[in-house]
Amino acid sequence: MTRPRSGLLPPIHLQLQGEPAHRQICDWLRGAITDGRLRPGQGVPSSRALAVELGISRTTVMTAFEQLQAEGYLESVVGAGTRIAAVIPDDVLDAIDTTRGGHGTQRAPRAISTRSRTLLAMPQDSQPQSVGAFRACIPALDRFPHATWSALLRRHARHASPALMAYGDPMGHRPLRDALAGHLGAVRAARCDASQIMITAGAQQALQLCARVLLDPGDAIWMEEPGYPGAQRAFTVAGARLVPVPVDQHGLDIEEGLRREAHPRAVYVTPSHQYPMGAIMNAARRTQLLAAATRAGSWIIEDDYDSEYRFAGRPIASLQGLDTDERVIYVGTFSKVLFPALRVGYLVLPRDLVAPFRAARDAADLFPSTLLQAALADFLREGHFARHIGRMRMLYKQRCAALVRALRMQIGERFEIVNAEAGLHLVALLPPALDDGAISRRLAGFDIAVGPLSYCCLQTPPRRGLILGYGSSSESQLEGAVARLAAVLAATT
Amino acid sequence: MTRPRSGLLPPIHLQLQGEPAHRQICDWLRGAITDGRLRPGQGVPSSRALAVELGISRTTVMTAFEQLQAEGYLESVVGAGTRIAAVIPDDVLDAIDTTRGGHGTQRAPRAISTRSRTLLAMPQDSQPQSVGAFRACIPALDRFPHATWSALLRRHARHASPALMAYGDPMGHRPLRDALAGHLGAVRAARCDASQIMITAGAQQALQLCARVLLDPGDAIWMEEPGYPGAQRAFTVAGARLVPVPVDQHGLDIEEGLRREAHPRAVYVTPSHQYPMGAIMNAARRTQLLAAATRAGSWIIEDDYDSEYRFAGRPIASLQGLDTDERVIYVGTFSKVLFPALRVGYLVLPRDLVAPFRAARDAADLFPSTLLQAALADFLREGHFARHIGRMRMLYKQRCAALVRALRMQIGERFEIVNAEAGLHLVALLPPALDDGAISRRLAGFDIAVGPLSYCCLQTPPRRGLILGYGSSSESQLEGAVARLAAVLAATT
């Protein structure tokens, strides 16, 4: 129910439910002043008169008037009551008048940055939040040990000390960094201690920080072609010049890279499991890359996004562990081993980069949320992490085999399957006539999230293909999705 | 206990505890190859011979050899056994040799970005992680309702759906954005709906995104002088040109700003409670600023960091709510109303900036951690948030009064206290002879975290002063800290 009112002031409809009356009066008077219906110097009724007229208590009106005086909209004049403050200059009000409704030619520019416009022009993932079959880079979310994780969170949330609730270290929570240093040394053959580890909000933030600390606008960076679109975006927004360098079955083609740009400021590389093609960078390329970086004074950004899941043998040793010149910045993530919405990743930094990364992190978002880090440190220390990885490796091996089997049976030789030996996805190369983007769009209608290979390319791709994730889908889901894919292919050609 | 060995290969000491033996063999052979002790083409003993010599199972040795073959360090030659792969070129090894130990003149450049060097040269907070008395911008951490918060976290952690564990919306979790839109409309007189709200990792990330989306390197931004150092860092790292504009008792001096730079790309302002001086920007300045921004085509970044805590009357209405030209980007945070280590803040965006901010967020760190957002949405919806703010406002009012009383009694007229009417801190201006930085450093030794006013200034400050936080200290702690401050002052002069 509302209570209409008219008189000297513009009309007000006081809502009897919801907002307190004094707030409604404030908003009403403030609006009438700023839109020019009440002019500077104009008197307003006394609080007593207004209270009577609106049928509310005088205290309510006085509360509103006091607030508006504090904000400078009203002023009290001794002997003359309350009036609209004279301090709002008329020319200001006139300026507001001319812009009102002025979304046409009169409108002042609404400029955004050049890098922001470049970013908007880049291809965007059409189904970023899909959890449908084939979605790449998503682990088996229903196999995550929720009860264990929830208990660890509770342990830290119920009794957080003031020190853990206030401002934390930009490098991250020390117990988690200690646990990670041990893990990386043992499993990734990394050479580091906790002082070199920075906890980030996922690998994407790690890449963004690399871009900021290492690259000036216009600086060249080698990018794998095809490569990871998230990395392309991170370096683009920093204003870097992206130099596509082809990958083959042994990873990044170093000699071709040197021909295209002999002195890159940095090299972005996924040596343990190239994204998306799956190649392992061999020992020759690794040493070639390290030597080339040392000669050219380049940094190497090693993105080790899912190396935990190699189905035969242990994970490939990291490039970071081979680096004797402290050129490699190692990027890791918990998105593939735990779950993406956790948003925790990490960097292993050369010692002389710790101070600049710390300063950049402080300027970017101060430090990471403490609770998740504290629970995660216990998750690692108490062995849950290693156990979960072990279980998931077996599961993904089975799912990968099931997907390959279904593709062979239902689609046969039209697909060339590459590197189905590790990780959470494989790539199926298409015959030349087929358009990966069109197939991806058709399947999206069935909640099937196939990534087109061409979406990973900075240049026109020599081959088109489909990125098929198997981490988060059961064997029967994979078989059903392959059947749908086969039907779409049959309809396309 | 270790087992020494010598022979054709470099010596290895197998640790019987810790690392599995096959990993130790891998690391040992890989290291010997990359540091040149084993040369390309050189044969290695058969797995059988090595197993006998090391006293371990042949399977262990074969596991290690298979791993090194996968990584490309070893190769099998039919009829000739296993040897060091010939694919590591000698010139590469030579290049590595010349850089080894080469931290002297031969070393290739280790260049970092210009903005990173600028950032490193800025003054850094000497006690960023202190929770000592007087620490500014920290709420009463021991009064936070941990049991309620922990129960809400558990509710969402134990039964997270796959959709909430996978990749989320770069704008944030929709239920939290809905809850915030309601809160901001009611309490901050903001005009927005949930589609304009982006959840960030605290206010600092919000400022960083503003810098990225709105400012090209070299673009001018008005900064309050004195002002918030975190904002200075966020805009510096984006390469912006910071234009200091003085503040007085009514907030930012718009006319002086126009004299210094008539066409800033953006204006950074804390109108509800200027940081650090505490002034409220009055209605005249607000309309002046909005009109000037409209004329010059500037964006206004409104940082509303602690406006919930005004001791007399309700919070000052936001500038965003007055803006009819969609020029204002509103920045809010939960750090002051809940706790800093939560790392959750938010932006309210003009509608035409939603797409570029979404793209910038995606490139920066994809999206925020879902669990904390889900729990926070319930915390708002179920009324815990409003109740906590109400309780804390009373507490801070008492603590502020206690601090003012103690300063008056123990230090008297030597301090000029400004704007002790809101928020979590006040500023005490010092007599001209005293050095705020020196006082701050002396008090740091007693775990008292006084912020020097000069640390907030881009130019030489006209007055020096101390930023005294009272949010996280009890009345008796505040009295004790004032006594210590008085003693330091007595020793200084």
Side-chain angles (χ1 to χ4, degrees), chain B residues 308-324:
Chain B
E308 291 83 359
Y309 299 128
R310 194 165 158 253
F311 304 143
R314 56 182 280 217
I316 298 296
S318 69
L319 192 60
Q320 196 270 356
L322 293 179
D323 170 27
T324 56

Side-chain angles (χ1 to χ4, degrees), chain B residues 219-237:
Chain B
D219 279 350
I221 179 168
W222 286 5
M223 299 298 289
E224 295 172 329
E225 177 79 356
Y228 175 53
Q232 295 165 1
R233 284 194 285 271
F235 296 113
T236 298
V237 81

Side-chain angles (χ1 to χ4, degrees), chain B residues 8-184:
Chain B
L8 283 175
L9 298 178
I12 177 171
H13 292 270
L14 278 182
Q15 306 284 335
L16 297 187
Q17 311 236 308
E19 287 267 288
H22 66 88
R23 286 193 191 169
Q24 296 182 53
I25 295 173
C26 268
D27 291 346
W28 158 61
L29 279 170
R30 198 188 291 114
I33 295 166
T34 54
D35 70 11
R37 284 175 292 159
L38 294 174
R39 303 298 291 195
Q42 185 176 337
V44 296
S46 72
S47 56
R48 189 184 310 271
L50 197 56
V52 169
E53 181 162 3
L54 293 175
I56 56 180
S57 85
R58 190 179 163 210
T59 311
T60 300
V61 178
M62 284 174 69
T63 302
F65 279 17
E66 280 163 17
Q67 178 74 22
L68 290 168
Q69 280 179 27
E71 296 182 7
Y73 292 96
L74 294 183
E75 57 187 14
S76 252
V77 184
V78 178
T82 303
R83 65 184 190 192
I84 309 300
V87 289
I88 307 182
D90 273 333
D91 67 321
V92 168
L93 289 171
D94 291 345
I96 293 175
D97 284 343
T98 55
T99 60
R100 181 143 296 136
H103 287 248
T105 49
Q106 288 275 358
R107 209 160 191 228
R110 299 176 69 80
I112 61 170
S113 65
T114 307
R115 55 192 156 197
S116 217
R117 289 197 304 274
T118 308
L119 196 63
L120 281 171
M122 294 180 79
Q124 301 292 319
D125 188 348
S126 58
Q127 307 162 264
Q129 290 153 58
S130 167
V131 288
F134 293 149
R135 180 73 167 90
C137 297
I138 297 192
L141 302 171
D142 56 341
R143 303 296 178 98
F144 181 72
H146 287 285
T148 303
W149 178 241
S150 181
L152 294 177
L153 284 170
R154 183 181 163 85
R155 180 190 293 173
H156 293 279
R158 276 193 66 86
H159 307 290
S161 68
L164 287 187
M165 296 173 71
Y167 288 92
D169 188 338
M171 297 296 288
H173 188 51
R174 185 64 192 232
L176 177 57
R177 295 161 63 206
D178 285 331
L180 260 177
H183 170 77
L184 293 172

Side-chain angles (χ1 to χ4, degrees), chain A residues 99 110 113 212 294 326 352, chain B residues 99 110 113 212 326 352:
Chain A
T99 59
R110 300 177 69 79
S113 65
R212 252 181 196 215
T294 291
E326 300 222 20
D352 61 347
Chain B
T99 60
R110 299 176 69 80
S113 65
R212 257 184 190 212
E326 301 222 18
D352 62 345

Side-chain angles (χ1 to χ4, degrees), chain A residues 71 73 99 108 110-111 113-115 165 204 208 212-213 215-216 237 283 294 299 315 317 322 325-326 341 352 363, chain B residues 67 71 73 99 108 110-111 113-115 165 204 208 212-213 215-216 283 294 299 317 322 325-326 341 352 363-364:
Chain A
E71 296 182 7
Y73 292 96
T99 59
R110 300 177 69 79
S113 65
T114 307
R115 55 191 156 196
M165 296 173 71
Q204 189 69 25
Q208 182 221 130
R212 252 181 196 215
V213 172
L215 298 163
D216 279 311
V237 82
T294 291
W299 301 104
L322 293 179
D325 193 32
E326 300 222 20
D352 61 347
Chain B
Q67 178 74 22
E71 296 182 7
Y73 292 96
T99 60
R110 299 176 69 80
S113 65
T114 307
R115 55 192 156 197
M165 296 173 71
Q204 189 69 25
Q208 182 222 129
R212 257 184 190 212
V213 173
L215 298 164
D216 279 311
T294 292
W299 302 104
L322 293 179
D325 193 32
E326 301 222 18
D352 62 345

Side-chain angles (χ1 to χ4, degrees), chain A residues 145-177:
Chain A
H146 287 285
T148 304
W149 178 240
S150 181
L152 294 177
L153 284 170
R154 183 181 163 83
R155 179 190 293 173
H156 293 279
R158 276 193 66 86
H159 307 289
S161 67
L164 287 187
M165 296 173 71
Y167 289 92
D169 188 338
M171 297 296 287
H173 188 52
R174 186 64 191 231
L176 177 57
R177 297 161 64 205

Side-chain angles (χ1 to χ4, degrees), chain A residues 213-283:
Chain A
V213 172
L214 306 178
L215 298 163
D216 279 311
D219 279 351
I221 177 167
W222 286 7
M223 299 298 290
E224 295 172 328
E225 176 79 356
Y228 175 53
Q232 294 165 1
R233 284 195 286 271
F235 297 114
T236 297
V237 82
R241 181 162 58 83
L242 276 56
V243 179
V245 176
V247 292
D248 60 23
Q249 71 273 26
H250 300 302
L252 195 70
D253 184 338
I254 312 296
E255 308 211 335
E256 180 59 27
L258 288 169
R259 275 189 289 275
R260 295 191 180 188
E261 170 57 58
H263 290 89
R265 172 67 73 91
V267 177
Y268 170 81
V269 70
T270 51
S272 295
H273 188 225
Q274 201 272 328
Y275 190 88
M277 298 305 289
I280 296 171
M281 184 182 268
N282 70 13

